[in-house]
Amino acid sequence: METIMDRSIDLGELIPQPDDDVIVCRCEEVTKGEIRQAVHDGMRTLNEVRRYLRTGMGLCQGQTCGKLVQSIVARELGIRPRDLEMNTARSPVRPTEMGVYGNEVIEQEAEYEA
């Protein structure tokens, strides 16, 4: 586990692969090559890759791409996928209009006016 966080370890030069243009995270349109580049740029955990590229932050919340991203990152780091700590799960947050919170009051006022 120490080798993952040791950022002084040189992973070597990123060697392009023929399938680097394959989209791995469809929601955010992130390719395999972008994930590999992120690891070589210093992202050593799945959470860091997620924050850097937004993988797993789309509509599927990583249900489609999570395992693929994990295996790509592990392969670049030269470790087993199960040695990577999984992403921190968070509920999606969506903006709510203030009118939704005040809707009950508006309905009550409409009753009084009628």
Side-chain angles (χ1 to χ4, degrees), residues 4 7 20-21 24 33-34 36 41 50 53-55 62 64 67 69 72-73 75 89 92 99-100 109 111 114:
I4 297 171
R7 297 182 193 292
D20 275 348
D21 61 342
V24 174
E34 289 172 317
R36 294 179 63 237
D41 287 346
R50 183 180 200 170
L53 296 174
R54 296 190 45 82
T55 56
T64 305
K67 297 278 186 193
V69 173
I72 293 167
V73 171
R75 191 173 311 120
V100 172
E109 289 176 3
E111 289 177 15

Side-chain angles (χ1 to χ4, degrees), residues 76-92:
E76 289 302 309
L77 292 173
I79 61 173
R80 298 175 300 194
R82 66 177 169 225
D83 291 339
L84 282 171
E85 188 175 322
M86 292 305 293
N87 281 324
T88 304
R90 293 183 178 88
S91 301

